[in-house]
Amino acid sequence: MTQAERRIYLIKELLAEQPRYRGVAVPADSAGQKRLLRSLMNVRPPMLVGEGFLAVQDAYLQKELAQKGVTDYRSLAPISEGIYLWQGDITTLSCDAIVNAANSGMSGCYVPCHSCIDNCIHTYAGVQLRQECAAIMREQGHEEATGRAKLTGAYNLPCRYVLHTVGPIISGRLTKREENLLASCYRSCLELAERHNVKSIAFCCISTGEFRFPNDRAAEIAVRTVKEYQAEQNSGIQVIFNVFKDIDYEIYKNLLTAG
């Protein structure tokens, strides 16, 4: 199959799953097809899917990843001992584990083509990730608490694991409690990672953006918490601070290179 043939196959299979999608036409252009495929994957509930679908999906996502290009964190220069700063798409970063800024439902973002990191990670990992997350949450029996974390496989991402953590949502003036909860996200991820023998972990900017935590204060808490953990635990875990926006890159660079 060509990449276009895989994409059309996946779209048709996803449309056929839901009677309400009868009559939805497959766009003729590749950009329209990609938007429709991502939208269908985003809204798809965590239900079983056939091995044939998974084989085509995995081949499609692996080809897409190869076209985007993978960055191995080991090719980066550390900004200080055990700490790296990298600006780019976290779904293309090769390391042991990446961190997903999840919501309390823990099964991904269901908004079609939303730009949040939760949506991106689930899109490019494949439908298996939502299935695993949903199974974990069914067993737990309640939503995930803010400041805690769960570990899953990474499927079609170029890492081994995804750590899903729920950061605080800021609705007014920032409080000490919310700052402590954000620090708990970083500690929970580090502790869970080391229990699974993770040697390198990439953190996104947890709780910023949609969750409205101030970028500069979030970065201060992230850097302080990681450095304290590494020192207190005598940990050799390699930490990559992954940023996407220029403003976050400058904030982290200033923090990490200051005296």
Side-chain angles (χ1 to χ4, degrees):
M1 276 189 179
T2 66
Q3 198 68 341
E5 289 170 338
R6 293 186 187 106
R7 185 165 57 243
I8 292 170
Y9 168 87
L10 294 171
I11 290 171
K12 289 182 175 179
E13 288 293 305
L14 291 170
L15 289 174
E17 283 185 334
Q18 299 290 339
R20 68 180 184 275
Y21 296 150
R22 289 198 186 104
V24 174
V26 178
D29 62 299
S30 61
Q33 291 170 6
K34 288 182 179 182
R35 283 194 300 273
L36 179 56
L37 176 57
R38 178 168 178 171
S39 297
L40 290 168
M41 291 176 71
N42 293 160
V43 301
R44 185 182 189 272
M47 57 190 188
L48 294 177
V49 66
E51 291 300 318
F53 177 94
L54 291 179
V56 175
Q57 175 211 246
D58 292 352
Y60 177 80
L61 292 175
Q62 288 296 314
K63 182 68 172 179
E64 290 292 295
L65 176 63
Q67 290 173 349
K68 288 191 291 184
V70 172
T71 299
D72 190 323
Y73 92 94
R74 292 170 297 186
S75 69
L76 308 174
I79 203 162
S80 60
E81 187 176 357
I83 293 180
Y84 299 76
L85 175 61
W86 182 68
Q87 184 175 17
D89 178 355
I90 201 169
T91 67
T92 66
L93 183 62
S94 175
C95 58
D96 279 356
I98 64 171
V99 173
N100 177 28
N103 57 55
S104 59
M106 274 285 182
S107 64
C109 169
Y110 286 78
V111 179
C113 296
H114 196 249
S115 61
C116 71
I117 193 168
D118 196 15
N119 188 294
C120 293
I121 287 173
H122 275 266
T123 295
Y124 295 108
V127 298
Q128 302 99 311
L129 181 57
R130 177 165 286 168
Q131 291 173 326
E132 183 177 359
C133 287
I136 290 170
M137 297 311 289
R138 281 195 300 270
E139 183 176 349
Q140 178 166 287
H142 58 81
E143 291 189 335
E144 185 74 352
T146 302
R148 305 306 301 161
K150 292 285 189 291
L151 181 142
T152 67
Y155 300 98
N156 290 290
L157 299 173
C159 51
R160 292 169 56 204
Y161 301 112
V162 179
L163 288 150
H164 308 260
T165 189
V166 182
I169 300 173
I170 311 304
S171 57
R173 185 177 179 180
L174 185 64
T175 67
K176 185 65 176 175
R177 178 178 180 274
E178 290 161 340
E179 292 184 338
N180 290 339
L181 285 170
L182 182 59
S184 178
C185 289
Y186 286 90
R187 283 194 301 271
S188 295
C189 287
L190 289 164
E191 290 166 357
L192 184 56
E194 295 220 274
R195 288 202 297 272
H196 286 81
N197 201 34
V198 167
K199 302 300 183 184
S200 56
I201 180 173
F203 282 104
C204 61
C205 300
I206 303 167
S207 271
T208 59
E210 293 292 319
F211 282 15
R212 300 181 296 277
F213 206 107
N215 296 55
D216 52 354
R217 186 59 182 141
E220 290 170 3
I221 292 168
V223 170
R224 185 194 71 222
T225 305
V226 165
K227 286 186 173 181
E228 285 178 352
Y229 179 89
Q230 287 176 324
E232 291 168 2
Q233 302 300 319
N234 193 28
S235 172
I237 193 168
Q238 304 295 293
V239 173
I240 307 102
F241 288 111
N242 164 248
V243 299
F244 193 73
K245 299 177 181 177
D246 292 342
I247 185 174
D248 289 315
Y249 182 84
E250 291 303 319
I251 290 170
Y252 273 92
K253 183 180 178 182
N254 291 335
L255 285 170
L256 292 168
T257 57

